[in-house]
Amino acid sequence: CESCHGAASLHTTEGDSAKILSFASLSSDQASAVCLKCHSAGTHMEWAGNEHALNDVACTDCHKIHQDKTVAPHSLKMAQPELCYSCHQEYRAKANFPSHHPIREGKMTCTSCHEAHGSGQKNLKTEERVNDLCLNCHSRYQGPFVFEHAPVQEDCTICHDAHGTVANNLLRQSEPFLCLQCHERHF
């Protein structure tokens, strides 16, 4: 208890419950600082520059330590994707588009691709390029091919929206309109 809530002797000897560190009274930075005393390595190492931390999201906004562990893994307040959708509602909408990754079907979660505690590359679970993450599942598009398509080598998200689209195959726009944005001279 003392690791998170402070020295119990201050509370027990003096009988003052105000001496107990209560997370409800802490700012998001203060609450996260308590958690980061122990959780500062590995996947949590990038927390300080993470979008969540920069937007005053505290560890306690997503995690609830004193709960039954069957509610959600990793002491999450609720299971994914609902936890993520509680803030990221635009992605809930995209997951309901006709072309989407199988999140609502339960075959993957937000953290299949994203590192919620931060990473060097747009909070994605990749060290290098965005494509490296995509190619973990879509390796048939890795190549080499006789005729390489430059956007594929550079970044899959030039043509695809990973969260969901109305167009087939997660394309940002239907063909040929998407192609015409770069290849107008051919028509």
Side-chain angles (χ1 to χ4, degrees):
C1 299
E2 290 183 344
S3 297
C4 298
H5 296 286
S9 60
L10 295 174
H11 167 63
T12 54
T13 57
E14 299 175 22
D16 186 3
S17 62
K19 302 281 183 175
I20 297 173
L21 183 62
S22 170
F23 283 80
S25 64
L26 299 177
S27 71
S28 61
D29 286 340
Q30 292 169 328
S32 295
V34 172
C35 299
L36 290 170
K37 285 191 300 185
C38 297
H39 300 282
S40 61
T43 59
H44 301 87
M45 184 171 65
E46 304 276 348
W47 178 258
N50 172 326
E51 288 295 321
H52 287 131
L54 295 174
N55 287 298
D56 293 326
V57 175
C59 301
T60 54
D61 290 335
C62 298
H63 296 277
K64 184 174 182 180
I65 305 306
H66 302 291
Q67 75 175 352
D68 179 5
K69 301 294 185 216
T70 60
V71 173
H74 308 294
S75 299
L76 293 175
K77 285 187 172 181
M78 63 181 88
Q80 290 184 63
E82 290 306 314
L83 176 64
C84 302
Y85 291 162
S86 64
C87 293
H88 302 283
Q89 294 179 11
E90 69 275 19
Y91 298 117
R92 176 194 303 270
K94 287 184 172 196
N96 287 310
F97 284 158
S99 181
H100 60 273
H101 274 106
I103 292 174
R104 70 173 194 232
E105 291 82 4
K107 295 181 180 177
M108 64 186 297
T109 64
C110 302
T111 56
S112 296
C113 299
H114 294 279
E115 177 51 64
H117 302 109
S119 74
Q121 183 66 261
K122 300 179 185 177
N123 288 354
L124 294 173
K125 287 186 171 181
T126 182
E127 296 296 321
E128 299 292 326
R129 308 172 308 148
V130 173
N131 285 11
D132 296 333
L133 178 62
C134 301
L135 294 171
N136 285 337
C137 296
H138 303 284
S139 59
R140 66 187 177 275
Y141 299 112
Q142 189 164 359
F145 299 108
V146 174
F147 298 103
E148 294 283 353
H149 192 214
V152 175
Q153 294 172 329
E154 186 179 334
D155 185 351
C156 300
T157 62
I158 292 172
C159 297
H160 298 276
D161 184 337
H163 295 103
T165 64
V166 177
N168 287 334
N169 300 317
L170 293 170
L171 290 174
R172 291 188 174 276
Q173 196 173 10
S174 296
E175 297 177 83
F177 304 107
L178 177 67
C179 305
L180 289 172
Q181 290 178 10
C182 297
H183 301 285
E184 62 185 63
R185 68 180 182 273
H186 295 294
F187 294 92

